[in-house]
Amino acid sequence: MKTTIITTFLAVLSFMANTAFAQQTVIKGQIMDADDNSPVAFADVSLSKQDSTYVAGTSSDIEGIFEINGFPEEDYILSVSSKGYETFRLPITPSESNDTINIFLEQPAVTLNEVTIQARSVTVKDYRRVIIPTEEQVKMSTDGADVIRKMQLPRIMVDPVSGEISMSGNGELQLRINGVLVTNAEIASIPPADILRIEYHDDPGARYGNADAVIDYITRRKESGGSINGVFFNGGGHKRVSFDDRLSMKYNYGKSAFSANAMFIQRKGYWTREYDEKLIFPNHELHRTEVGEPTLFNKKVFSSNFNYSLTEKDKYFFNAQLRYIRNDFPNGYEDRKSKLYTSEPDVPLSISDHTVEKSNSPALDLYFQRNLKNDQMLLFNVVGTYIDTDSRRIYQEKQDNNLTTDILSNINGNKYSLITEGIYEKNIGQDKITGGIKHLQSYANNKYTGTAIADISMRQAESSVYAEYRGRAEKWGYMVNLTASRLYYSQNNHHTEEYALQPSARLTFEPNKNLYFRYRINLHNNAPFLSAMNDVEQAIDAWQIRRGNPNLDAFNTLSQSFMTGYSKGIFSMDITIDYDHEYNPVMESVIYEDGIFIRTYENQKSFQNLGAEATFKVKPWKNHLSLSVTPRVNRFISKGNNYMHTYTMPELRFNLDFSYNNWLVNFTTITPPRSVYGEQLMKSNQMYTIMAGYKQPNWSAMIGALNPFTNEYKTENKNWSALNPVDSKIHTNNNRSFLVKLSFNLDYGRQFKGKDKQLNNTDTDSGIMQGVKN
């Protein structure tokens, strides 16, 4: 089996390489400012046929140099555009195709900032959208995340309180700066004036792993000097505090660059949990109702990273990053105090459930990029991660102050992982060939003491080889990819090994510059979470136990998506329809055994999710006022081994942004995660914020409110199990909060001639299983 997979991979790679290398023609040059001859970095360069059919495209590097190759010898038109310059067009004949061209861009005699930029601020290029922020958006944004919020990208959501950028439909979103994978804190530290453009990969390739979308900020760099940036976003209300504070420092010297980022987040408040559940015994039914009391929730997160990079232009790029994350939860989200009433004529029980958890996770990330001749590139990435988790749970039930149930759970988990990846890439005009190999090796040891005692050692290995080819033919674009993977897992004396082929393909059609259509299909193999595979039992309460299952199998997901978009003038529209079908997914089951209800994990029959959303955006007053409305609906079909559930979940997102003469106002809805999986439903009330403030080039100040017109926030969870149906509500009556946001930027230095890191890997799964009640 191993030989077959490797042979298939090499055959596909060889075929694509032979196809790619058959093309030879090259157009290269340098783009400069016509006034002072300075290089124009990150200019958009496109090659078209005489009938305006798009052929190839690229961007100039930090020195304004570009190169396009791999297309037939014909007559072409070369177009160059960059923010703040007039578009340059030049006819190219076959005899000129191999010459070096010097291009000088002129600034317009009359600057029509908003009108000019708005006309072509978004360019769809096969698998990504190249977006140039308008001058008004840059001027009135307080940080990098705020720029994205003002752009109102389809499927992208920005939490105005935390600054977290996420994706609708629970998709995986990667954030990058100049190709380097970063966190939300680093995005928030970007001065908006440093953003040259934003590349939105809404259909990313093999290099980005399992990401559903990638947002890459292309920013200016410094040759010397540095910068200090800070964002302080704090809020509070009755018995509620919120902190989102970030500080970033950068320094550049010659070929070297140093940076450090730190972020502190705290959420503290009181939640009331209430449960209505039934325990269906073979010969009777027990109805239990919990009436909750306000219970403290306290979460603190500190994260930091230190980065060093070394660049030799056109030769290599080396990057080393040390990351550290500390989670400190003195009072867990699942904590509760309540009174328990049952259908049996007993005295009510008093319940106390309290969890304390701490974790530390340092990681070292080493990256090396080597540029080769003929527009080829090699990339290598090695990431080592350690996760130390310490969790303690105390659950007690008392009747007339007499202790009837006492559950103690101590979990100490240690996990070590190493991720290695190597990638080969070659660009041939608008086509690209990519091949890579990736391996993950992890070791986890979890010690359980207290009511249950166990010592679990787990080993996991995931290996894959892949090849991908992207091409274009006139107004059509296409991609084919094949990945071969191996999964190995062992726990004590049990082990499993599985192999899988994962193909994917994409087809794009762009009839004109205002309209596009895209369809994608891919098959993905999913490994079960380590936390679900622990061969251990954890008591939930007097009647329920959570049990891991080391016999879980990997499962496949078939994903399909169709996207279309139209933009003209002040109006734009984007529509997305996505469909995921999971075959034999790992979902929860409830079984009755020896008088106890066991919540465990099994490979069920299937899970399907059909989602559709449309984003309508209009700018009725140039770039001073913008409005976007996004309705979405999800249809869930969950088929277990002995159950079937369906559910339809609609939602509506709304964003309004106004700015004028340094004053700004915005209204934003916040949509918490809403989903159905297995027999579990989770949905929460939508929140919204109103913010107003004043913006200067190097600082900004804003004030506002979270949920100013209502003080109650509620989350509803349901479990439809036939043996143990549960209806739970988590709510707070002190959710209204005031908000204050302050930001500053102190910047100095010149342009830095740097490179971009183009892949990264992380490991955040601690691998422990807890017994808290959902």
Side-chain angles (χ1 to χ4, degrees):
M1 181 64 183
K2 297 179 183 178
T3 304
T4 303
I5 290 177
I6 295 174
T7 302
T8 303
F9 168 74
L10 293 176
V12 173
L13 189 61
S14 175
F15 169 76
M16 292 190 295
N18 290 335
T19 303
F21 282 100
Q23 306 179 39
Q24 301 292 331
T25 309
V26 176
I27 292 179
K28 55 187 176 181
Q30 184 177 25
I31 305 170
M32 293 170 283
D33 188 297
D35 291 337
D36 57 12
N37 293 336
S38 62
V40 178
F42 308 117
D44 289 320
V45 184
S46 63
L47 194 68
S48 305
K49 292 184 178 181
Q50 296 293 322
D51 62 358
S52 299
T53 301
Y54 177 84
V55 175
T58 187
S59 298
S60 60
D61 64 15
I62 198 71
E63 289 193 337
I65 296 173
F66 70 93
E67 182 176 312
I68 302 176
N69 56 34
F71 49 87
E73 290 191 350
E74 297 180 18
D75 291 337
Y76 295 100
I77 296 177
L78 184 71
S79 299
V80 180
S81 61
S82 183
K83 180 180 176 180
Y85 295 96
E86 292 182 341
T87 300
F88 177 92
R89 292 180 176 84
L90 178 70
I92 300 292
T93 63
S95 62
E96 301 171 312
S97 59
N98 291 310
D99 296 337
T100 299
I101 305 169
N102 291 324
I103 297 174
F104 297 91
L105 297 185
E106 301 274 357
Q107 296 186 12
V110 178
T111 303
L112 302 176
N113 296 330
E114 297 167 1
V115 177
T116 302
I117 296 171
Q118 181 179 329
R120 291 293 291 155
S121 61
V122 180
T123 303
V124 178
K125 291 190 175 181
D126 190 23
Y127 61 94
R128 71 187 193 279
R129 306 179 192 205
V130 178
I131 308 168
I132 301 175
T134 67
E135 290 191 1
E136 185 71 14
Q137 288 171 338
V138 169
K139 176 184 175 183
M140 301 308 294
S141 295
T142 58
D143 54 48
D146 200 31
V147 174
I148 288 292
R149 189 189 59 78
K150 290 181 182 297
M151 287 182 165
Q152 302 171 353
L153 298 177
R155 305 177 69 196
I156 300 301
M157 302 182 295
V158 181
D159 187 326
V161 178
S162 66
E164 180 179 358
I165 305 173
S166 59
M167 189 176 180
S168 65
N170 298 319
E172 179 184 341
L173 175 67
Q174 285 188 11
L175 301 174
R176 294 173 179 261
I177 299 176
N178 296 324
V180 180
L181 188 65
V182 297
T183 63
N184 278 282
E186 292 167 271
I187 294 297
S189 69
I190 302 175
D194 284 356
I195 299 174
L196 293 170
R197 69 176 188 274
I198 293 174
E199 295 188 353
Y200 176 32
H201 302 248
D202 52 2
D203 186 19
R207 175 193 294 176
Y208 302 103
N210 297 326
D212 296 287
V214 176
I215 294 179
D216 194 357
Y217 289 73
I218 307 303
T219 64
R220 295 180 176 89
R221 303 262 185 116
K222 309 296 178 183
E223 186 177 77
S224 62
S227 63
I228 301 176
N229 307 288
V231 178
F232 306 97
F233 201 161
N234 302 322
H238 180 61
K239 296 183 179 181
R240 178 184 177 89
V241 295
S242 173
F243 295 98
D244 290 87
D245 299 334
R246 309 172 185 91
L247 186 66
S248 174
M249 294 175 284
K250 301 175 184 178
Y251 180 75
N252 304 297
Y253 183 77
K255 299 177 182 179
S256 297
F258 306 85
S259 65
N261 294 274
M263 176 183 68
F264 175 74
I265 295 176
Q266 183 177 13
R267 298 288 186 270
K268 186 177 180 180
Y270 283 83
W271 295 94
T272 300
R273 287 178 170 267
E274 298 179 338
Y275 290 88
D276 189 340
E277 68 176 332
K278 295 179 180 179
L279 299 173
I280 312 299
F281 292 86
N283 55 3
H284 73 285
E285 175 182 308
L286 179 62
H287 187 192
R288 293 155 46 105
T289 303
E290 284 189 41
V291 178
E293 302 175 10
T295 306
L296 178 64
F297 163 64
N298 192 5
K299 166 186 173 181
K300 293 181 284 187
V301 178
F302 173 78
S303 65
S304 62
N305 66 73
F306 302 90
N307 195 85
Y308 169 75
S309 62
L310 177 66
T311 303
E312 180 67 32
K313 186 181 180 300
D314 295 329
K315 292 184 178 180
Y316 65 83
F317 170 58
F318 170 75
N319 190 87
Q321 184 178 81
L322 179 63
R323 298 189 293 265
Y324 174 73
I325 300 175
R326 176 176 174 79
N327 294 310
D328 183 7
F329 302 164
N331 302 87
Y333 178 72
E334 295 81 8
D335 283 9
R336 73 188 197 270
K337 295 178 181 179
S338 60
K339 290 287 186 180
L340 175 61
Y341 302 87
T342 71
S343 55
E344 298 178 353
D346 292 332
V347 177
L349 296 173
S350 297
I351 290 181
S352 173
D353 193 354
H354 176 52
T355 300
V356 178
E357 182 175 332
K358 295 181 180 180
S359 67
N360 297 278
S361 178
L364 179 62
D365 185 337
L366 302 176
Y367 173 90
F368 182 73
Q369 172 185 321
R370 178 67 178 179
N371 296 330
L372 306 176
K373 296 180 179 179
N374 300 319
D375 207 5
Q376 302 175 90
M377 182 185 300
L378 290 174
L379 306 97
F380 302 96
N381 190 209
V382 179
V383 180
T385 305
Y386 170 67
I387 303 177
D388 171 32
T389 305
D390 188 6
S391 177
R392 176 184 175 89
R393 178 182 181 236
I394 299 175
Y395 176 85
Q396 294 181 336
E397 295 180 2
K398 293 181 179 180
Q399 191 173 50
D400 288 334
N401 292 322
N402 296 316
L403 189 63
T404 59
T405 302
D406 189 12
I407 298 173
L408 173 62
S409 175
N410 293 312
I411 309 173
N412 181 256
N414 294 277
K415 181 183 177 184
Y416 304 84
S417 69
L418 182 69
I419 304 175
T420 59
E421 185 172 13
I423 293 179
Y424 166 80
E425 282 193 350
K426 178 171 178 60
N427 293 304
I428 310 97
Q430 75 268 30
D431 297 352
K432 176 182 288 187
I433 180 174
T434 303
I437 182 169
K438 182 176 181 179
H439 180 74
L440 167 104
Q441 189 76 40
S442 67
Y443 304 86
N445 182 259
N446 298 326
K447 293 184 178 180
Y448 297 83
T449 58
T451 305
I453 300 176
D455 192 345
I456 306 297
S457 295
M458 296 179 288
R459 304 290 184 268
Q460 184 181 23
E462 294 182 42
S463 303
S464 61
V465 291
Y466 54 86
E468 180 178 278
Y469 187 84
R470 293 174 178 263
R472 193 172 184 90
E474 296 184 346
K475 298 181 180 181
W476 295 87
Y478 59 91
M479 179 277 290
V480 291
N481 174 285
L482 180 63
T483 299
S485 63
R486 170 187 178 266
L487 171 65
Y488 174 83
Y489 169 80
S490 69
Q491 180 176 169
N492 298 337
N493 296 321
H494 173 82
H495 74 273
T496 59
E497 186 174 15
E498 298 184 30
Y499 295 85
L501 289 176
Q502 306 174 63
S504 63
R506 186 202 67 243
L507 184 65
T508 303
F509 177 58
E510 300 169 18
N512 56 59
K513 66 180 183 180
N514 298 319
L515 180 66
Y516 75 94
F517 301 91
R518 182 180 298 139
Y519 171 77
R520 175 165 180 156
I521 182 171
N522 68 281
L523 182 67
H524 179 65
N525 187 252
N526 306 273
F529 288 111
L530 288 181
S531 57
M533 301 181 73
N534 279 248
D535 190 9
V536 68
E537 293 183 350
Q538 289 283 281
I540 299 174
D541 55 31
W543 294 105
Q544 300 179 74
I545 287 177
R546 187 175 304 281
R547 176 189 294 169
N549 183 0
N551 299 310
L552 295 174
D553 295 323
F555 60 95
N556 290 322
T557 300
L558 178 65
S559 298
Q560 300 180 71
S561 64
F562 172 78
M563 292 178 282
T564 182
Y566 176 79
S567 176
K568 189 172 183 180
I570 64 172
F571 174 78
S572 66
M573 175 184 66
D574 290 271
I575 298 174
T576 301
I577 300 174
D578 45 69
Y579 174 72
D580 294 323
H581 190 142
E582 297 181 3
Y583 298 87
N584 303 118
V586 175
M587 299 189 292
E588 191 182 66
S589 291
V590 179
I591 59 177
Y592 180 76
E593 185 178 289
D594 298 328
I596 298 294
F597 294 86
I598 310 294
R599 291 190 173 274
T600 187
Y601 305 94
E602 294 180 327
N603 287 96
Q604 308 288 349
K605 290 183 179 179
S606 68
F607 176 79
Q608 301 172 67
N609 179 18
L610 176 63
E613 76 171 49
T615 297
F616 305 93
K617 184 168 63 175
V618 63
K619 295 182 178 181
W621 185 18
K622 298 182 179 179
N623 285 308
H624 297 299
L625 179 64
S626 61
L627 170 67
S628 70
V629 179
T630 303
R632 180 179 176 87
V633 62
N634 283 290
R635 176 66 174 174
F636 302 98
I637 304 175
S638 185
K639 294 182 180 180
N641 298 325
N642 52 16
Y643 65 80
M644 177 175 172
H645 304 292
T646 62
Y647 195 85
T648 301
M649 187 177 297
E651 66 180 59
L652 181 66
R653 303 195 302 273
F654 181 87
N655 185 46
L656 182 145
D657 196 86
F658 171 78
S659 59
Y660 189 77
N661 284 350
N662 297 328
W663 293 95
L664 57 160
V665 177
N666 64 67
F667 176 88
T668 305
T669 58
I670 305 173
T671 303
R674 299 175 172 182
S675 64
V676 170
Y677 200 67
E679 296 192 280
Q680 189 77 25
L681 163 70
M682 181 180 72
K683 62 179 182 179
S684 302
N685 286 356
Q686 200 165 47
M687 297 185 289
Y688 52 93
T689 63
I690 298 177
M691 299 289 295
Y694 186 78
K695 175 74 169 60
Q696 284 291 308
N698 294 323
W699 64 270
S700 67
M702 299 187 71
I703 59 173
L706 172 69
N707 291 336
F709 306 118
T710 179
N711 204 30
E712 183 180 18
Y713 177 76
K714 182 172 63 177
T715 294
E716 180 182 2
N717 295 329
K718 291 181 181 292
N719 190 292
W720 297 305
S721 168
L723 291 176
N724 181 210
V726 183
D727 187 351
S728 67
K729 293 181 175 62
I730 304 97
H731 60 90
T732 178
N733 292 322
N734 51 24
N735 193 58
R736 184 186 295 125
S737 303
F738 68 88
L739 304 171
V740 177
K741 181 177 182 179
L742 304 174
S743 65
F744 72 91
N745 172 55
L746 304 176
D747 191 27
Y748 56 95
R750 296 175 294 167
Q751 289 295 315
F752 173 61
K753 304 169 183 177
K755 290 288 183 181
D756 303 330
K757 180 180 173 187
Q758 301 187 30
L759 66 98
N760 207 318
N761 298 285
T762 59
D763 181 10
T764 58
D765 178 15
S766 65
I768 71 170
M769 186 192 76
Q770 296 183 329
V772 294
K773 188 168 184 176
N774 293 328

